[in-house]
Amino acid sequence: MKTEGRPRTATLDEEKLTPQQAALRWEVIDWAVVENFITKAQTRIAKATVEGNARVARELQRMLTHSHYAKLWAIRQVSATQGKRTAGVDRDKWDNSTKKYEAIRKLEIKGYKAKALRRVYIPKSNGKMRPLSIPTMTDRAMQALQALALDPIIESTSDPKSFGFRKGRSGHDAMRQLFISRMDSRRGYKIMF
């Protein structure tokens, strides 16, 4: 029962599934196809941004955030982290396949409004308490969904020599860039910071 053959937009008028059907649909998802679709869409967004075609980039972003595959990926991303065991103010956790598949309907962008954060206090090493705000699973998935559309633009317009808080970048990359720039300065090139 493979339902993920082609990209499509999730709609609210899909048939009502039993919990067993929803769990089965989640289990048979071909994640390689999902990731391939997302990678291609992000590449198209980055290409449109580099070419200066903002209208096409916006349309592609909308297509990506409304796609069924992107919603599946966002739910998987949120439910695969350590935070999956921590519920927000709605006390809802996506801890089984049925809840994960049914969460697709919650990622409706039109009319979306984030819920309040759940506030808990955790102990610090000095004995004091530190506040921690916990969003709902739906809010986390919505953030992941929007990040899918924003990341290609951020990466294509950011400074190539910027390494702080960027995906796929590390301190080793910064050290390599410093080494390269130092080698260039020894050859007589002037480096401006």
Side-chain angles (χ1 to χ4, degrees):
M1 180 177 174
K2 204 160 195 166
T3 60
E4 308 307 323
R6 62 181 178 83
R8 64 181 183 81
T9 302
T11 59
L12 292 176
D13 56 340
E14 290 181 357
E15 71 276 7
K16 182 69 176 154
L17 302 174
T18 66
Q20 293 83 12
Q21 289 173 323
L24 181 62
R25 284 202 181 175
W26 182 264
E27 296 299 327
V28 299
I29 294 170
D30 186 356
W31 291 108
V33 172
V34 172
E35 290 176 8
N36 187 31
F37 171 80
I38 291 169
T39 302
K40 284 182 179 179
Q42 287 181 323
T43 303
R44 291 176 64 196
I45 292 169
K47 185 177 178 186
T49 303
V50 168
E51 291 172 353
N53 198 340
R55 184 184 60 79
V56 171
R58 266 194 316 274
E59 288 174 5
L60 289 168
Q61 281 180 306
R62 184 185 184 288
M63 181 269 308
L64 180 61
T65 56
H66 286 74
S67 74
H68 184 70
Y69 285 166
K71 292 176 182 182
L72 290 172
W73 186 90
I75 292 166
R76 180 181 181 211
Q77 191 77 3
V78 167
S79 61
T81 62
Q82 275 192 331
K84 69 181 177 186
R85 296 180 297 228
T86 310
V89 292
D90 60 357
R91 302 287 183 188
D92 190 18
K93 289 190 236 178
W94 298 341
D95 50 3
N96 61 39
S97 299
T98 304
K99 288 182 181 179
K100 290 175 188 176
Y101 196 80
E102 290 172 353
I104 297 168
R105 294 176 183 266
K106 295 180 182 179
L107 294 183
E108 194 60 36
I109 295 174
K110 189 173 184 172
Y112 171 75
K113 186 165 169 53
K115 292 188 176 162
L117 300 173
R118 184 173 142 220
R119 190 72 159 211
V120 295
Y121 291 89
I122 58 174
K124 290 171 49 176
S125 60
N126 62 4
K128 294 183 180 180
M129 299 297 270
R130 179 175 77 85
L132 180 67
S133 298
I134 303 168
T136 63
M137 296 294 280
T138 306
D139 291 341
R140 288 181 235 172
M142 191 60 79
Q143 288 175 5
L145 185 62
Q146 297 302 321
L148 276 176
L150 292 175
D151 281 343
I153 292 179
I154 292 168
E155 286 300 318
S156 61
T157 58
S158 295
D159 182 15
K161 295 179 183 168
S162 168
F163 301 99
F165 303 104
R166 292 192 46 199
K167 288 184 180 178
R169 303 285 180 105
S170 68
H172 296 287
D173 296 321
M175 289 172 53
R176 181 174 177 266
Q177 184 60 42
L178 285 171
F179 179 77
I180 290 170
S181 64
R182 186 164 165 86
M183 294 305 290
D184 285 345
S185 66
R186 289 183 182 163
R187 291 186 193 126
Y189 299 109
K190 201 170 203 177
I191 306 298
M192 302 293 285
F193 290 100

